């Protein structure tokens, strides 16, 4: 290589280095093109520059930057052209071969068939060549833009008067690759910024969603959304708490699977449009396996209908309890009061007509009915004390075997002749810890029930020791208690059978009081019954010796 050539190469290298620096200083792709054009202008005379990109996926060549006769043009005026794989057309040839081209005879080239050529004037007016006359350019250089082994674009430099040399082509090629790298860099940077901004925005949206979800979960009312297809899309924490159904088991299931009587329920809930004042409807609702009283409001939104509900089951139960209480007590009081009143009236008005035996019978009736009235009042007061937690139950060592025997003996004369009570006391029962009179009260109640509800057969009372407890079992051979009622009979005022029409009197407080008393003595009361096969009520009380041992 001669000295002149070496010098030239060194100059080219220097130019390219400077070019790379200048191009790399900006991170805006548009500014990169402008700088590239400025650099080019200082080294290569030209009248037009066109930067196009080639998208291999679409097979289209698009103009990214255009400059003609001293003006920057809007690149969108150039229609995208499809790649001509046969190599017709100068741009296509460069893309297909990956080799730069140099022409000093543009007018001739555009005459050749197979290519599509345009000419653009300084106003950006596009002419199709050669149909609309000869091209303005005389010489042209075309350089492929390469990236990762493929051609991703073409840069054209055109002159209307000058002739181009291969040295110039070499320089332009170098500059083009620098420019392309700078554009790629700028685009990557811009894309990264866009992604970062998108991420920040996505995070903000997620945070907002999370906040909304947190708020929804913190709300005390149950909230759920039913979409247009009748599927539950949202189920907040309160909804899960009230119904016992977790969000993940309910979400995306048809609402009718969650509320079995949904059709009937929804017909009674007024739905208002978003923004209007909602009207609440308090309804009994079966949700999953629970029967609840829920107060619903419903609002229609574009995604479906939002239902909010509040659990009023305990308020309702209280209401029901109150009315049960009044109904039961007034019914239970009426019979003995009417008897006492009737007897008193008779004694007053017809005293002279009555025999001493009749008077005696009436007075006995007044006494027994007054005792019944006293018992009812006593039961109500006791239940109230238990409710309020104001009843104290002492604890002593009680010989349960002896207590059972005494109770059965005391009750025997009062039982109807058909009732037979059989007592069985296992050896070494030991003593239980509790209050003697309260245990007796429980036993009397259980025996009373066994005789009242247990039919004709024998009532069996068994006392036995068991693991750390003394157990009393009261078994009858009556009709038994349906499974569905075995827990309910321990509720206050609960009486099975049709309301107020039962032959046997009672307040429905006996088992409630019994269970509460046993629990206060540290024991349990439960029932085992198979409908049709009698019932066994089981009382378990802690053994007194075990208790003492524990406190020693
Ligand atoms: P009351 O006897 O005043 O109705 P309880 O609380 O003692 O109240 O009993 C509640 C209900 O439980 C009764 O009304 C009855 O229906 C049922 N019951 C109680 N004991 C028996 C039994 N041994 N067999 C069948 N049913 C019973």
């Amino acid at each position: 290589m001669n000295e002149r050539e070496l010098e030239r190469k060194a100059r080219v290298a220097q130019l390219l280095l400077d070019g790379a620096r200048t191009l790399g200083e900006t991170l805006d792709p548009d500014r990169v093109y402008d700088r590239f054009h400025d650099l080019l202008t200082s080294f290569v005379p030209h009248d037009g520059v066109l930067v196009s990109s080639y998208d291999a996926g679409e097979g289209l060549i698009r103009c990214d930057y255009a400059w003609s006769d001293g003006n920057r043009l809007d690149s969108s005026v150039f229609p995208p052209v499809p790649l001509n794989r046969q190599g017709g057309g100068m741009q296509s040839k460069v893309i297909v071969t990956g080799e730069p081209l140099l022409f000093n005879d543009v007018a001739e080239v555009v005459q050749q068939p197979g290519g599509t050529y345009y000419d653009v004037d300084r106003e950006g007016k596009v002419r199709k060549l050669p149909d609309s006359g000869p091209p303005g350019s005389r010489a042209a250089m075309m350089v492929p833009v390469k990236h990762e082994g493929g051609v991703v674009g073409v840069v054209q430099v055109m002159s209307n008067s000058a002739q181009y040399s291969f040295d110039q082509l070499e320089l332009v090629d170098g500059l083009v690759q620098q420019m392309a790298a700078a554009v790629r860099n700028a685009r990557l940077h811009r894309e990264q910024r866009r992604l970062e901004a998108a991420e920040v925005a996505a995070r903000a949206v997620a945070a907002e969603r999370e906040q909304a979800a947190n708020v929804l979960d913190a709300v005390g009312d149950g909230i759920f959304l039913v979409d247009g297809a009748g599927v539950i899309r949202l189920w907040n924490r309160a909804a899960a708490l009230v119904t016992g159904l977790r969000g993940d088991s309910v979400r995306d299931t048809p609402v009718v699977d969650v509320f079995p009587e949904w059709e009937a329920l929804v017909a009674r809930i007024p739905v208002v449009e978003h923004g209007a004042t909602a009207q609440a409807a308090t309804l009994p609702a079966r949700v999953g396996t629970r029967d609840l009283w829920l107060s619903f409001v419903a609002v229609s939104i574009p995604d479906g209908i939002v239902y909010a509900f509040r659990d009023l089951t305990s308020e309702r139960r209280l209401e029901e309890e109150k009315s049960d209480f009044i109904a039961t007590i007034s019914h239970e009081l009426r019979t003995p009061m009417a008897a006492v009143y009737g007897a008193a009236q008779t004694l007053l008005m017809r005293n002279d007509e009555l025999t001493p035996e009749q008077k005696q019978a009436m007075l006995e009736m007044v006494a027994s009915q007054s005792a019944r009235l006293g018992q009812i009042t006593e039961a109500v007061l006791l239940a109230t004390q238990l409710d309020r937690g104001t009843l104290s139950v002492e604890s002593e060592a009680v010989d349960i075997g002896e207590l059972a025997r005494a109770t059965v003996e005391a009750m025997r004369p009062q039982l109807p002749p058909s009732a037979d009570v059989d007592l069985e006391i296992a050896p070494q029962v030991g003593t239980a810890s509790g209050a003697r009179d309260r245990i007796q009260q429980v036993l009397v109640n259980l025996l009373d029930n066994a005789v009242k509800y247990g039919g004709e057969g024998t009532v069996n009372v068994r006392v036995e020791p068991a693991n750390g407890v003394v157990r009393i079992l009261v078994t009858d051979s009556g009709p038994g208690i349906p499974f569905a009622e075995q827990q309910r009979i321990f509720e206050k005022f609960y009486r099975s059978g049709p309301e107020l029409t039962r032959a046997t009197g009672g307040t429905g407080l006996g088992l409630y009081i019994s269970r509460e008393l046993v629990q206060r003595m540290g024991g349990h009361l439960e029932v085992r019954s198979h409908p049709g096969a009698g019932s066994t009520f089981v009382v378990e009380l802690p053994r007194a010796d075990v208790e003492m041992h524990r406190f020693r």
Side-chain angles (χ1 to χ4, degrees), residues 130-333:
D131 324 354
S132 56
S137 311
R138 179 174 169 207
M141 288 187 276
M142 314 203 75
V143 175
V145 178
K146 292 188 179 166
H147 182 54
E148 290 179 351
V151 179
V152 295
V154 181
V155 174
Q156 304 180 38
V157 181
M158 287 148 292
S159 170
N160 297 347
S161 50
Q163 296 261 315
Y164 287 137
S165 69
F166 283 96
D167 285 353
Q168 282 172 314
L169 183 65
E170 188 190 11
L171 184 66
V172 170
D173 187 29
L175 258 185
V176 161
Q177 302 317 323
Q178 306 282 21
M179 176 274 289
V183 167
R184 256 193 314 272
N185 194 21
R187 284 195 182 139
L188 274 178
H189 180 77
R190 199 159 66 174
E191 179 62 8
Q192 192 181 344
R193 289 243 304 269
R194 195 187 63 76
L195 286 177
E196 277 168 8
E199 197 185 319
V200 169
R203 268 211 211 109
V205 168
E208 203 172 301
R209 285 234 176 100
E210 197 183 314
Q211 202 177 28
N214 285 343
V215 169
L216 222 51
D217 272 347
V219 170
D221 286 3
I223 292 174
F224 62 98
L225 168 69
V226 179
D227 72 7
V231 174
I232 293 177
R233 293 294 177 204
L234 187 149
W235 188 260
N236 78 340
R237 201 197 304 260
L241 285 176
V242 171
T243 61
L245 300 172
R246 286 169 40 151
D248 43 13
S249 68
V250 168
R251 244 170 264 130
D252 302 330
T253 48
V255 66
V256 288
D257 291 356
V258 178
F259 294 87
E261 290 143 18
W262 180 249
E263 295 295 329
L265 194 64
V266 81
R268 297 172 61 191
I269 306 173
V271 179
V272 297
E273 290 303 316
H274 184 60
T277 313
Q279 259 189 319
T282 302
L283 304 165
R286 169 160 277 250
V287 196
T289 53
R290 291 193 189 175
D291 285 315
L292 302 169
W293 274 91
L294 301 178
S295 164
F296 284 97
V297 292
V299 179
S300 161
I301 61 164
D303 296 346
I305 297 176
V306 177
Y307 294 88
F309 61 88
R310 194 164 289 180
D311 184 13
L312 295 185
T313 313
S314 44
E315 283 87 339
R316 271 283 162 166
R317 204 160 274 162
L318 206 66
E319 284 293 311
E320 277 168 14
E321 263 178 26
K322 271 195 225 157
S323 63
D324 280 358
F325 172 80
I326 292 164
T328 315
I329 297 304
S330 34
H331 177 259
E332 283 307 305
L333 293 178

Side-chain angles (χ1 to χ4, degrees), residues 56 69 82 89 111 122 140 172-173 176 188 204 209 244 276 282 295 370 372 390-391 408 487 489 509:
D69 298 326
Q111 298 291 339
R122 55 181 302 144
V172 170
D173 187 29
V176 161
L188 274 178
R209 285 234 176 100
T282 302
S295 164
S370 304
R372 171 83 194 123
T390 52
L391 186 89
V408 169
Q487 278 314 311
I489 55 171
L509 286 172

Side-chain angles (χ1 to χ4, degrees), residues 383-429:
T384 315
Q385 279 176 305
L386 287 167
D387 274 353
R388 295 193 176 151
T390 52
L391 186 89
S392 61
V393 180
E394 293 111 58
S395 193
E396 58 194 316
V398 182
D399 181 341
I400 300 293
E402 182 274 323
L403 177 67
R405 196 185 308 278
T407 309
V408 169
E409 289 319 316
M411 278 189 80
R412 230 188 265 283
Q414 301 165 30
L415 297 177
S418 61
D420 189 13
V421 182
D422 192 31
L423 177 67
E424 219 184 309
I425 299 169
Q428 275 150 20
V429 170

Side-chain angles (χ1 to χ4, degrees), residues 15-249:
L15 285 174
L16 292 180
L17 205 62
D18 289 348
R21 199 171 293 134
T22 314
L23 291 168
E25 274 168 5
T26 175
L27 282 172
D28 172 4
D30 243 26
R31 303 259 303 277
V32 175
Y33 288 132
D34 283 336
R35 288 188 178 198
F36 163 72
H37 183 245
D38 290 348
L39 281 167
L40 192 70
T41 310
S42 53
F43 308 126
V44 180
H46 63 271
D47 298 294
V49 175
L50 213 66
V51 180
S52 307
S53 56
Y54 168 63
D55 183 330
E58 296 176 317
L60 287 177
I61 308 166
R62 282 199 174 80
C63 178
D64 290 335
Y65 173 85
W67 184 93
S68 175
D69 298 326
N71 274 333
R72 178 156 181 188
L73 306 178
D74 176 5
S75 57
S76 66
V77 303
F78 296 86
V81 279
L83 177 77
N84 187 331
R85 290 209 173 271
Q86 278 68 47
M90 293 187 278
Q91 285 200 108
S92 292
K93 195 181 251 170
V94 173
I95 291 168
V96 172
T97 62
E99 295 295 330
L101 290 175
L102 190 152
F103 306 100
N104 283 315
D105 52 353
V106 173
E108 255 170 59
V109 173
V110 299
Q111 298 291 339
Q112 291 164 10
T116 313
Y117 301 101
Y118 296 98
D119 201 355
V120 187
D121 66 13
R122 55 181 302 144
E123 270 78 46
K125 214 162 136 241
V126 181
R127 287 191 300 130
K128 199 157 189 288
L129 300 178
D131 324 354
S132 56
S137 311
R138 179 174 169 207
M141 288 187 276
M142 314 203 75
V143 175
V145 178
K146 292 188 179 166
H147 182 54
E148 290 179 351
V151 179
V152 295
V154 181
V155 174
Q156 304 180 38
V157 181
M158 287 148 292
S159 170
N160 297 347
S161 50
Q163 296 261 315
Y164 287 137
S165 69
F166 283 96
D167 285 353
Q168 282 172 314
L169 183 65
E170 188 190 11
L171 184 66
V172 170
D173 187 29
L175 258 185
V176 161
Q177 302 317 323
Q178 306 282 21
M179 176 274 289
V183 167
R184 256 193 314 272
N185 194 21
R187 284 195 182 139
L188 274 178
H189 180 77
R190 199 159 66 174
E191 179 62 8
Q192 192 181 344
R193 289 243 304 269
R194 195 187 63 76
L195 286 177
E196 277 168 8
E199 197 185 319
V200 169
R203 268 211 211 109
V205 168
E208 203 172 301
R209 285 234 176 100
E210 197 183 314
Q211 202 177 28
N214 285 343
V215 169
L216 222 51
D217 272 347
V219 170
D221 286 3
I223 292 174
F224 62 98
L225 168 69
V226 179
D227 72 7
V231 174
I232 293 177
R233 293 294 177 204
L234 187 149
W235 188 260
N236 78 340
R237 201 197 304 260
L241 285 176
V242 171
T243 61
L245 300 172
R246 286 169 40 151
D248 43 13
S249 68

Side-chain angles (χ1 to χ4, degrees), residues 418-422 454-460 475-478:
S418 61
D420 189 13
V421 182
D422 192 31
E456 294 282 288
T458 304
V459 174
N460 189 281
T475 307
D476 63 56
S477 47

Side-chain angles (χ1 to χ4, degrees), residues 445 449-450 452-454 476 480-481 489 494-496 505-512 535 537:
N445 179 244
N449 279 353
K452 250 193 322 188
Y453 306 109
D476 63 56
I481 300 161
I489 55 171
Y494 185 82
R495 308 200 64 213
S496 71
T507 53
L509 286 172
L511 287 177
Y512 172 75
S535 314
F537 283 82

